[in-house]
């Protein structure tokens, strides 16, 4: 049998592409080495699936060409996917910053997509690893664990390198390069940052301390929670900035954004210890560390204005230099991927290789934390599904 389209990968983008192509009457085969579809959907959002965001906009995506994503995102929006959730009877709620989560388990989203594929006549082969993909006349030959398959079009939806224990590999990038497509250098994104031993010596006693703050790298900053760990820093604000951070650069922590800390410290003069005053605004363990790091031993009345200014600066602009990240093991997504200059933004088709499409995380489009990457999967998969 010659398929109209073979989709490589049964994740969010792959299933979306398959549904759309199947609904158009195409003969579609989805192939995935995993034993279950949509595993990243299942584990996302603490098992509740942060499936999209109300604030989708091009500036929330990183790419060498951030505007590349605009066509797909405009043609299949967050509201379109929300409508599908509503039609499927899946209850959801909004958390902070426009993030939408399922009320119930994330498996509801997987079940909806699998059901839609079945209704669209899509064939799904799980536990079937794809192999080499070759040109064959005007179509393609795809090696699979179930034998050679032929198709007029191939959609590569194999994801990135993040979370290898779930089976993530560089397969999609190697396939792109085999067809002569450029690949932007990849690196872990939305990932905790790690530090050298001299920083970890004081960070470890703070492990588990969490607080709202602002974490910045260069001109980019995020106002969300940050978390001290045994290995360094995590929490939403740190994960966000990790996509912008590069080795050798410092990040800045603002532990009390929007506050005039210097003025507040001056107003607190008296017989109180600095840690006691800081403890009004910050977790106790962190307040004690800041007092020790500042080398302050006296009470507030004994501290000079210069000392208070120095403490305030340390709280509002605390510079730290990570040595790395926790890597793909815990990264939520992969930064970089198939160069968008080699793709058509409307169809996700490779320029110069008719019938070959790339969607989702394998492409050099990486969203912010908070449902943006799932929306890119839905939108890019939808776009390819209209074209194959």
């Amino acid at each position: 049998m010659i398929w109209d389209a073979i989709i490589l990968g049964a994740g969010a983008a792959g299933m979306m592409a398959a549904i759309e192509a199947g609904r158009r009457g195409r003969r579609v085969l989805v192939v995935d080495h995993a034993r279950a579809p949509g595993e990243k959907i299942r584990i996302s959002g603490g098992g509740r699936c942060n499936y999209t965001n109300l604030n989708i906009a091009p500036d929330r995506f990183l790419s060498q060409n951030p505007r590349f994503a605009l066509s797909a995102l405009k043609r299949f929006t967050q509201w379109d996917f929300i409508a599908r959730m509503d039609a499927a009877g899946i209850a959801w709620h909004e958390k902070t910053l426009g993030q939408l989560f399922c009320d119930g388990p994330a498996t509801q989203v997987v079940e909806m997509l699998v059901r839609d594929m079945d209704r669209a006549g899509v064939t799904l082969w799980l536990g079937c690893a794809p192999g080499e993909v070759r040109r064959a006349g005007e179509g393609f030959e795809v090696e699979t664990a179930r034998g050679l398959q032929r198709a007029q079009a191939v959609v590569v939806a194999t994801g990135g390198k993040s979370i290898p224990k779930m089976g993530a590999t560089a397969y999609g990038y190697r396939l792109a390069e085999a067809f002569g497509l450029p690949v932007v250098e990849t690196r872990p994104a939305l990932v905790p940052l790690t530090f050298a031993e001299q920083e970890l010596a004081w960070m470890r006693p703070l492990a588990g301390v969490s607080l709202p703050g602002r974490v910045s790298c260069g001109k980019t900053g995020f106002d969300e929670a940050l978390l001290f760990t045994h290995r360094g820093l995590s929490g939403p604000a740190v994960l966000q900035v990790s996509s912008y951070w590069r080795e050798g650069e410092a990040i800045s922590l603002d532990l009390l954004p929007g506050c005039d800390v210097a003025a507040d410290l001056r107003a607190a003069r008296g017989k109180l210890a600095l840690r006691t005053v800081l403890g009004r605004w910050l977790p106790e363990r962190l307040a004690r560390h800041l007092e020790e790091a500042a080398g302050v031993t006296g009470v507030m009345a004994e501290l000079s204005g210069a000392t208070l200014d120095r403490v305030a600066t340390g709280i509002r602009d605390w510079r730290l230099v990570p040595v790395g990240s926790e890597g793909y093991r815990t990264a939520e997504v992969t930064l970089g991927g198939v160069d968008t200059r080699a793709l058509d933004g409307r169809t996700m088709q490779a320029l110069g290789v008719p019938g070959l499409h790339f969607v989702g995380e394998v492409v050099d489009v990486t969203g912010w934390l908070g449902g943006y990457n799932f929306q890119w999967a839905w939108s890019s998969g939808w776009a390819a599904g209209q074209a194959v």
Side-chain angles (χ1 to χ4, degrees):
M1 178 177 180
I2 298 180
W3 305 92
D4 291 313
I6 295 177
I7 317 290
L8 305 180
M15 288 193 283
M16 195 69 180
I19 291 164
E20 294 307 305
R23 287 176 174 176
R24 294 175 50 243
R26 314 300 281 168
R27 293 166 298 177
V28 181
L29 170 66
V30 178
V31 177
D32 198 305
H33 68 280
R35 289 178 290 183
E39 281 295 271
K40 272 198 171 181
I41 299 173
R42 181 182 63 81
I43 69 167
S44 70
R48 299 289 183 180
C49 188
N50 179 195
Y51 64 89
T52 192
N53 196 292
L54 296 178
N55 302 316
I56 299 295
D59 64 356
R60 307 293 170 93
F61 294 85
L62 289 78
S63 172
Q64 287 198 341
N65 176 16
R67 295 194 64 79
F68 173 84
L70 190 58
S71 174
L73 292 171
K74 279 190 170 182
R75 291 163 59 223
F76 188 85
T77 70
Q78 65 269 43
W79 308 108
D80 293 316
F81 196 80
I82 290 168
R84 295 198 180 192
M85 295 282 285
D86 290 342
I90 301 175
W92 52 270
H93 60 278
E94 179 185 353
K95 283 193 176 180
T96 58
L97 304 173
Q99 301 170 32
L100 302 189
F101 289 77
C102 299
D103 287 356
T107 50
Q108 296 174 99
V109 180
V110 179
E111 291 164 359
M112 174 187 75
L113 296 169
V114 171
R115 184 170 60 248
D116 286 351
M117 284 196 298
D118 185 61
R119 290 173 176 171
V122 173
T123 300
L124 175 61
W125 287 356
L126 296 171
C128 180
E132 183 183 358
V133 178
R134 300 181 294 270
R135 258 297 188 200
E138 294 183 358
F140 300 87
E141 291 180 341
V142 180
E143 298 281 359
T144 80
R146 296 196 188 183
L148 183 68
Q149 302 297 315
R150 294 178 174 82
Q152 292 300 307
V154 170
V155 179
V156 182
T158 50
K161 300 176 183 177
S162 60
I163 318 183
K165 70 179 181 181
M166 293 183 63
T169 71
Y171 174 87
Y173 309 128
R174 293 194 297 267
L175 194 159
E177 291 172 336
F179 279 91
L181 304 182
V183 175
V184 175
E185 180 183 5
T186 57
R187 59 184 289 125
L190 301 182
V191 63
L193 296 174
T194 58
F195 290 81
E197 187 58 38
Q198 62 264 30
E199 277 82 30
L200 291 181
W202 60 260
M203 279 187 178
R204 289 191 183 104
L206 294 175
V209 171
S210 177
L211 70 158
R214 181 173 180 81
V215 181
S216 303
C217 182
K219 297 180 179 180
T220 303
F222 295 91
D223 294 289
E224 293 191 65
L226 63 103
L227 170 70
F228 290 88
T229 74
H230 287 93
R231 293 177 293 274
L233 290 172
S234 187
V238 174
L239 299 186
Q240 293 277 40
V241 93
S242 72
S243 296
Y244 296 84
W245 173 81
R246 294 296 179 271
E247 287 74 5
E249 294 180 341
I251 62 171
S252 171
L253 309 187
D254 182 348
L255 304 180
L256 292 169
C259 296
D260 188 343
V261 178
D264 291 341
L265 289 175
R266 282 182 167 82
R269 287 183 176 276
K271 294 184 178 181
L272 296 176
L274 175 61
R275 65 178 177 273
T276 302
V277 175
L278 295 180
R280 297 172 178 173
W281 313 310
L282 300 170
E284 180 185 359
R285 274 188 287 163
L286 182 56
R288 286 181 176 274
H289 169 75
L290 292 170
E291 181 185 63
E292 293 172 6
V296 173
T297 55
V299 296
M300 294 297 292
E302 298 171 353
L303 304 183
S304 67
T307 297
L308 295 178
D309 287 342
R310 177 165 54 83
V311 172
T313 298
I315 292 172
R316 293 298 312 277
D317 187 15
W318 187 359
R319 299 296 178 97
L320 295 168
V321 181
V323 294
S325 75
E326 291 191 6
Y328 292 114
R329 180 180 65 85
T330 60
E332 297 206 10
V333 290
T334 304
L335 195 67
V338 179
D339 197 326
T340 58
R341 292 176 299 178
L343 302 176
D344 182 324
R346 284 190 61 81
T347 63
M348 310 307 296
Q349 180 174 260
L351 303 175
V353 190
L356 182 63
H357 304 251
F358 292 83
V359 296
E361 189 180 348
V362 74
V363 179
D364 175 34
V365 174
T366 304
W368 284 6
L369 186 71
Y372 293 93
N373 288 292
F374 272 128
Q375 186 58 48
W376 169 242
W378 313 134
S379 297
S380 60
W382 182 92
Q386 310 305 310
V388 295

